[in-house]
Amino acid sequence: MKIGLGSDHGGYELKEQIKVHLEENGYEVVDFGTHSGEAVDYPDAAAPVCIAVQNGEVDCGMLFCGTGIGISMSANKFKNIRAALCSDVYSAKMAKLHNNAQIICMGGRVTGRDLAFMIADTWLETEFEGGRHNRRIEKIHKIEEL
Ligand code: RB5
């Protein structure tokens, strides 16, 4: 599985930690930056990961900013992208099980490293339940036509 990573400066450190964790667990990672703690704008950080998910270059993505809020707001503006801001393990599980989120977002100034690892692992290991949830997901994307 190929995972795209992206962050602004607020999420940079957590992205770097997650990258090591994922690689240690055998995942292939594509790091779309940022590559230092220098300030960058979170919509710019979200874009390459969302585009890579849209065009199938990566299977899924993880995005990080200070709170996870700005980068998740940005990601959800991309057509067909479902990005879930997660700061607990239950939400990470449900984000895949019910919402089939292709991207999870976390706040580098909110979520500690070890919890972030559990959130990432839970989301990656959970399978979408399908069924009635497909209808609801289709309705999310109908909103993009309004
Ligand atoms: C940057 O200071 C900060 O605003 C950003 O990382 C994020 O938290 C925005 O939602």
Side-chain angles (χ1 to χ4, degrees), residues 3-16:
I3 305 168
L5 299 184
S7 78
D8 74 353
H9 52 293
Y12 169 67
E13 203 178 310
L14 186 57
K15 171 177 70 68
E16 293 300 302

Side-chain angles (χ1 to χ4, degrees), residues 8-11 42 65-71 109:
D8 74 353
H9 52 293
Y42 51 78
C65 67
T67 58
I69 295 171
I71 208 143
R109 297 172 184 158

Side-chain angles (χ1 to χ4, degrees), residues 14 17-18 21 106 112-122:
L14 186 57
Q17 292 168 333
I18 285 273
H21 176 73
M106 287 187 253
R113 187 196 67 165
D114 287 7
L115 176 56
F117 291 172
M118 289 178 77
I119 288 170
D121 293 346
T122 300

Side-chain angles (χ1 to χ4, degrees), residues 21-115:
H21 176 73
L22 294 175
E23 285 173 343
E24 280 176 359
N25 284 286
Y27 292 103
E28 190 178 344
V29 166
V30 183
D31 185 353
F32 291 92
T34 188
H35 299 292
S36 79
E38 204 173 308
V40 292
D41 297 337
Y42 51 78
D44 298 332
V49 174
C50 293
I51 292 165
V53 170
Q54 283 175 327
N55 65 26
E57 186 191 337
V58 295
D59 300 295
C60 60
M62 294 187 193
L63 291 171
F64 307 86
C65 67
T67 58
I69 295 171
I71 208 143
S72 59
M73 286 178 164
S74 304
N76 279 308
K77 295 290 181 188
F78 285 79
K79 202 168 167 53
N80 289 321
I81 292 296
R82 296 178 301 285
L85 172 56
C86 294
S87 52
D88 65 274
V89 171
Y90 176 75
S91 298
K93 188 169 183 71
M94 300 312 284
K96 182 67 76 58
L97 196 68
H98 283 189
N99 312 113
N100 203 17
Q102 317 101 318
I103 294 180
I104 55 164
C105 306
M106 287 187 253
R109 297 172 184 158
V110 176
T111 304
R113 187 196 67 165
D114 287 7
L115 176 56

